[in-house]
Amino acid sequence: MNKKLSVSTICVQGGWQPKNGEPRILPIYQSTTFKYDTTEQMARLFDLEESGYFYTRLQNPTNDAVASKIAALEGGVGAMLTSSGQAANFYAVFNICEAGDHFISSSAIYGGTFNLFGVTMKKLGIECTFVDPDASEEELAKAFRPNTKLVFGETIANPGMNVLDIEKFARVAHAHGVPLIVDNTFATPVNCRPLEWGADIVTHSTTKYMDGHATSVGGVLVDGGKFDWDAHADKFPGLTTPDASYHGLTYTKKFGNAAYLTKATAQLMRDMGSIQSPFNAFLVNLGLETLHLRMQRHCENAQKVAEYLQSHPKVAWVRYCGLEGDKYYELGKKYLSNGSCGVLSFGVKGSRDDAARLMDNFKFIAIVTHVADVRTCVLHPASHTHRQLSDEQLIEAGVAPDLIRLSVGIEDVDDIIADLEQALAAL
Ligand SMILES: *Cc1c(COP(=O)(O)O)cnc(C)c1O
């Protein structure tokens, strides 16, 4: 695909490139396996001597077409679809961390990722230090240890709505010889491409805007292909020394700037198997075809809703980086110049119970454990997604106990505001 095409065109035209007489629309290769004429041909695939399909856990043509569209959107060298966003973030870290290693993450991240990093990774012997996303470079530098292998953050934190200073995090990571991994779920490549700002690896929960219609749980891992693993070979032995499970091949030697992605596919996916189903990949692709249009409408609507809420006497605070005076307005202008996303958070005056009562007053705005689809929806993280976290952890993760997360959809914005209006009036 021509790299000079714009993001909107890649949304529509990227990925599947039919040859003469082939289906115009991406086919669903709903097949676990692929047939070969000789044992020799199949053996070469198993040795990674040739690329080709043999088993869908490792590669599938439908998944590959969607992954290549997402890689093109993000400006990476390749991508791998996973069964969920959780799997994508797990693979992103585990691909270069093993027992005894350490990594650093912004504390303003999705609750599921916070648990994964703080609790489950620890059980694997991998320790994570959470840092304040607004910390200075000097403060961030203090979190590094000799065994630190990567730095992680979210472009726009779910649900804190903090905007990550990607260049700052990348500078500190690179000064310590490790890559920056950015979860770009909320911004999507339509509004931000972290690789262009210095990130090395990008992840997504495709469950959110990429699918956009709340049909399929999925994730993706994108390799930027620019991090020089060999320059820090002692830190990344999994990439720079022979892999016993592939007859001693060395990923950086054999696959160059696709070493990280190839290891994730050939080794982690082979062994752990959290592959996305081709049917879900097909649905994600349909979502991607309109991502650029939907993001524009989500952002326009969210901006109007944020301004409406900010001026409402019953609303205590609104967090949306598109609002002038928001703590992240300047970072938003820099990294998200076309708009941020449709999600905003706010608190109502009164108690934590008032927040819960407001939720029950909505008509079509639905209470769901989801964000970032075409329908406007709402969630109270302290009672729902983040209820496993203590009050201190909630605040550390940038989630106030009264925080309501509103995911503004692509309905007519006047109807969304009218629903908010009647719900607030009844409070
Ligand atoms: C939802 C979400 C995840 C987890 O993704 P799933 O697809 O639900 O597993 C990770 N990161 C962010 C920013 C998310 O919003």
Side-chain angles (χ1 to χ4, degrees), residues 84-86 89 110 113 154 158 183 185-186 205 207-208 217-218:
S84 67
Q86 286 298 109
N89 282 329
Y110 176 66
T113 313
E154 288 177 7
N158 175 8
D183 180 332
T185 297
F186 270 19
S205 165
T207 317
K208 311 297 165 52
V217 174

Side-chain angles (χ1 to χ4, degrees), residues 43-266:
R44 292 177 64 75
L45 299 180
F46 271 101
D47 282 348
L48 305 183
E49 286 299 329
E50 254 170 47
S51 65
Y53 300 101
F54 51 107
Y55 193 61
T56 282
R57 172 156 34 81
L58 285 111
Q59 272 190 310
N60 172 283
T62 307
N63 289 25
D64 279 1
V66 181
S68 80
K69 177 183 282 193
I70 296 172
L73 286 170
E74 288 286 7
V77 293
M80 173 178 87
L81 298 186
T82 58
S83 56
S84 67
Q86 286 298 109
N89 282 329
F90 174 72
Y91 282 42
V93 171
F94 198 64
N95 204 29
I96 47 174
C97 280
E98 58 187 40
D101 285 345
H102 169 257
F103 69 103
I104 295 167
S105 173
S106 160
S107 61
I109 53 172
Y110 176 66
T113 313
F114 194 85
N115 283 333
L116 169 67
F117 288 178
V119 180
T120 301
M121 293 302 255
K122 204 181 209 160
K123 293 181 187 165
L124 297 172
I126 300 168
E127 216 181 318
C128 176
T129 299
F130 292 105
V131 293
D132 182 342
D134 304 323
S136 68
E137 290 189 38
E138 294 69 35
E139 286 168 319
L140 290 176
K142 287 197 192 114
F144 282 83
R145 304 178 190 171
N147 60 342
T148 303
K149 298 299 165 75
L150 64 96
V151 178
F152 182 95
E154 288 177 7
T155 311
I156 306 171
N158 175 8
M161 306 309 293
N162 318 55
V163 177
L164 188 73
D165 190 341
I166 302 172
E167 285 190 320
K168 176 177 77 179
F169 270 66
R171 256 194 319 274
V172 181
H174 296 161
H176 291 83
V178 302
L180 173 64
I181 301 178
V182 173
D183 180 332
N184 194 34
T185 297
F186 270 19
T188 83
V190 171
N191 285 338
C192 182
R193 285 170 300 285
L195 299 175
E196 292 175 0
W197 298 100
D200 303 285
I201 312 290
V202 169
T203 61
H204 285 270
S205 165
T206 59
T207 317
K208 311 297 165 52
Y209 288 116
M210 283 194 172
D211 167 4
H213 300 75
T215 69
S216 314
V217 174
V220 68
L221 174 61
V222 184
D223 186 352
K226 285 200 206 107
F227 191 82
D228 189 350
W229 308 103
D230 278 326
H232 310 282
D234 53 323
K235 282 192 199 290
F236 306 106
L239 291 166
T240 60
T241 62
D243 179 356
S245 72
Y246 271 115
H247 312 308
L249 75 76
T250 299
Y251 291 100
T252 48
K253 284 212 184 88
K254 179 113 184 150
F255 300 103
N257 71 348
Y260 175 93
L261 185 74
T262 308
K263 177 174 181 287
T265 314

Side-chain angles (χ1 to χ4, degrees), residues 15-60:
W16 175 246
Q17 302 298 319
K19 297 187 198 76
N20 190 41
E22 286 187 341
R24 179 68 190 96
I25 302 307
L26 171 64
I28 308 172
Y29 286 86
Q30 195 70 31
S31 180
T32 57
T33 194
F34 303 84
K35 176 194 165 284
Y36 287 90
D37 290 337
T38 69
T39 44
E40 168 62 19
Q41 282 173 322
M42 177 88 94
R44 292 177 64 75
L45 299 180
F46 271 101
D47 282 348
L48 305 183
E49 286 299 329
E50 254 170 47
S51 65
Y53 300 101
F54 51 107
Y55 193 61
T56 282
R57 172 156 34 81
L58 285 111
Q59 272 190 310
N60 172 283

Side-chain angles (χ1 to χ4, degrees), residues 338-353:
N338 294 331
S340 56
C341 65
V343 185
L344 58 86
S345 58
F346 69 100
V348 283
K349 291 179 184 158
S351 67
R352 193 169 164 164
D353 291 346

